[in-house]
Amino acid sequence: MTDKSVSEIVARCEALYEDLNFTAAREWKEAEPGRKVIGYMPIYVPRELIHAAGMLPLGIMGGGDNLEVIHGDAYYQSYICRIPRSTIELGVSGRLDFVDGMLFPSICDVIRNLSGMWKMLFPEVYAKYFDVPQTYQDEVGGVFYTNEMREFLHDLEGIAGHKITDDDIRASIEVYNENRRAIGDLYALRAAQPWNAPASEAYLVIRAGLVLPVEEHTQLVRDYIAAASAEERPLKDNSRVILTGMFCEQPPLNLIKSLEMSGCYIVDDDFVLISRWLLGDVPTEGDPVHNLSQAFLHRSMSTAAKYEPDQAEKGQFLVRAVQKAGAEGVIFASTSFCDPALLDRPILQNVLKQAGIPYIAFKYAENSGQMQPIREQAGTFVDSIKLWSAA
């Protein structure tokens, strides 16, 4: 049990979410001499390696809807998603001046270009485009990804000024295993009792893990689960839906709240996907870097930002998620101009259609201001689910 109420926990998480100066991460760094902070963009990087180096992994998910982008618009064309422009704005406005390095994982061409832009704007800061395998054969993609991580480890040792041992990595893997288990328990609670653990709250709780040390975040998640489980909130006649397509540029909080107000219980999603990317525990016996590589190749989420030889498997992964969460429909919510999400959407929709699962789709930006059309569209979708399920 916890002595903290749901409102207290959520208020703290919302304050972290809205703090574009990353005060919590700054305070962590200043607490002890020599501490380092490594920022990373969505969607997945092996945070275990950063943690093993004694550094804080800091998730940078763009500027959200509270940041006015002035300088960032000068660096990118208007027909791409907003996340690179708002991230540049965070950088040039000094909000990330305490970060000792930045990782740009392989998501799309926009993020690849952002990594190059970052190197030009901040040449004194370590920056790496973190590539991932495009073939999942162990002797090809596995070897490539293991080498990529070892190269990153070498770079981290240079920044930290000390050797990172296998035991260091194993200890960090176990810490992140525990964090993934806690988040898995939170998603299980949402699926079982979405009225007691609404998505808008869970989103803030999970987002807090981007700026807090992982050990502290795991306890925060456990505290929220205990507090939410102890509350009795009214059960509504909402439809259970899965929200997908938000793996990179994150939705504004008001969008999630608007969907809930329209009559949706969001019982699964792909928010802050780095926190759930690896499915299950990563083994700690043997070579820890090899274990991380194997987990990425064979035990990881299926998403538009991840290459898979069998594209239909992404659709089946989504169907299984619908079945596991007891969802009644799927809402595709992709950021405007997101090539990975929009290219995969027809494949996923076709699989859902064959499985008899209803769906709708819309696009958004991280600074979306007008929620009424989205609320009306989602409300109509919910009404149709109720109508046809009763027929």
Side-chain angles (χ1 to χ4, degrees):
M1 296 293 293
T2 176
D3 58 355
K4 299 172 184 167
S5 67
V6 167
S7 60
E8 289 173 327
I9 296 170
V10 173
R12 183 194 177 202
C13 293
E14 188 163 10
L16 292 171
Y17 167 77
E18 293 176 348
D19 182 9
L20 295 181
N21 288 312
F22 305 98
T23 305
R26 289 178 182 273
E27 290 176 347
W28 178 90
K29 182 176 182 178
E30 293 167 359
E32 291 185 18
R35 281 184 167 179
K36 307 289 185 182
V37 175
I38 303 294
Y40 62 87
M41 295 287 292
I43 47 178
Y44 173 79
V45 296
R47 294 178 294 175
E48 292 87 346
L49 303 184
I50 302 172
H51 182 272
M55 303 177 187
L56 177 70
L58 175 67
I60 309 296
M61 303 283 163
D65 55 353
N66 292 326
L67 179 69
E68 183 181 7
V69 175
I70 301 173
H71 304 90
D73 282 341
Y75 291 88
Y76 280 98
Q77 58 271 52
S78 60
Y79 54 84
I80 61 173
C81 59
R82 187 176 185 266
I83 192 170
R85 297 194 292 276
S86 65
T87 302
I88 287 289
E89 189 73 26
L90 291 173
V92 299
S93 63
R95 292 177 170 90
L96 296 173
D97 58 5
F98 68 103
V99 172
D100 301 284
M102 280 287 289
L103 293 182
F104 301 87
S106 179
I107 306 174
C108 63
D109 289 341
V110 168
I111 301 302
R112 181 187 294 273
N113 293 339
L114 180 58
S115 70
M117 189 76 70
W118 205 265
K119 290 178 181 179
M120 289 191 294
L121 286 171
F122 310 104
E124 73 286 357
V125 177
Y126 172 79
K128 178 178 176 61
Y129 181 76
F130 196 82
D131 216 342
V132 295
Q134 297 299 300
T135 175
Y136 285 15
Q137 299 174 19
D138 291 341
E139 65 275 13
V140 181
V143 172
F144 167 82
Y145 189 51
T146 298
N147 290 338
E148 186 78 1
M149 284 191 285
R150 293 202 182 282
E151 179 182 302
F152 179 46
L153 274 172
H154 179 267
D155 294 345
L156 287 175
E157 289 174 341
I159 298 172
H162 61 78
K163 182 74 175 173
I164 303 169
T165 68
D166 283 354
D167 284 341
D168 293 333
I169 303 172
R170 292 188 188 101
S172 294
I173 287 176
E174 182 51 47
V175 167
Y176 275 95
N177 281 344
E178 178 60 29
N179 186 253
R180 283 186 286 269
R181 286 193 289 266
I183 291 173
D185 290 344
L186 174 53
Y187 270 81
L189 175 63
R190 278 179 53 195
Q193 302 174 24
W195 55 93
N196 278 340
S200 53
E201 290 183 0
Y203 175 62
L204 291 172
V205 171
I206 296 169
R207 280 279 303 236
L210 300 177
V211 299
L212 296 176
V214 61
E215 299 88 348
E216 183 178 349
H217 182 244
T218 298
Q219 186 59 53
L220 178 71
V221 175
R222 295 290 185 198
D223 287 346
Y224 174 79
I225 292 172
S229 300
E231 287 203 353
E232 283 298 331
R233 305 188 195 184
L235 173 62
K236 300 178 182 179
D237 186 28
N238 288 0
S239 291
R240 300 167 62 90
V241 302
I242 284 180
L243 193 57
T244 186
M246 299 177 163
F247 51 85
C248 182
E249 183 174 307
Q250 298 296 291
L253 183 59
N254 280 340
L255 191 155
I256 301 172
K257 290 182 177 179
S258 293
L259 292 175
E260 291 178 325
M261 287 188 292
S262 74
C264 293
Y265 279 141
I266 303 171
V267 293
D268 200 358
D269 55 66
D270 53 4
F271 305 149
V272 198
L273 199 55
I274 187 168
S275 64
R276 306 170 65 213
W277 185 273
L278 301 183
L279 302 174
D281 287 353
V282 179
T284 54
E285 302 81 12
D287 183 347
V289 177
H290 175 75
N291 292 341
L292 287 169
S293 175
Q294 288 292 295
F296 181 91
L297 291 179
H298 305 301
R299 298 183 300 280
S300 59
M301 295 282 281
S302 184
T303 174
K306 173 183 168 185
Y307 171 78
E308 292 194 30
D310 181 8
Q311 289 294 299
E313 170 56 24
K314 291 182 179 178
Q316 293 302 324
F317 186 91
L318 183 55
V319 169
R320 291 193 294 271
V322 169
Q323 295 168 343
K324 180 179 178 181
E328 301 169 277
V330 174
I331 297 179
F332 290 94
S334 304
T335 184
S336 299
F337 309 110
C338 179
D339 286 345
L342 297 177
L343 287 171
D344 269 15
R345 182 188 287 176
I347 300 172
L348 300 177
Q349 290 176 338
N350 186 52
V351 175
L352 292 182
K353 186 181 297 183
Q354 292 173 356
I357 299 171
Y359 61 84
I360 60 166
F362 62 80
K363 292 183 287 186
Y364 72 94
E366 66 173 0
N367 63 332
S368 297
Q370 178 54 266
M371 294 299 168
Q372 187 61 28
I374 290 175
R375 183 176 175 179
E376 291 174 354
Q377 186 177 359
T380 303
F381 179 57
V382 166
D383 290 343
S384 70
I385 289 177
K386 294 297 184 184
L387 176 66
W388 288 107
S389 64

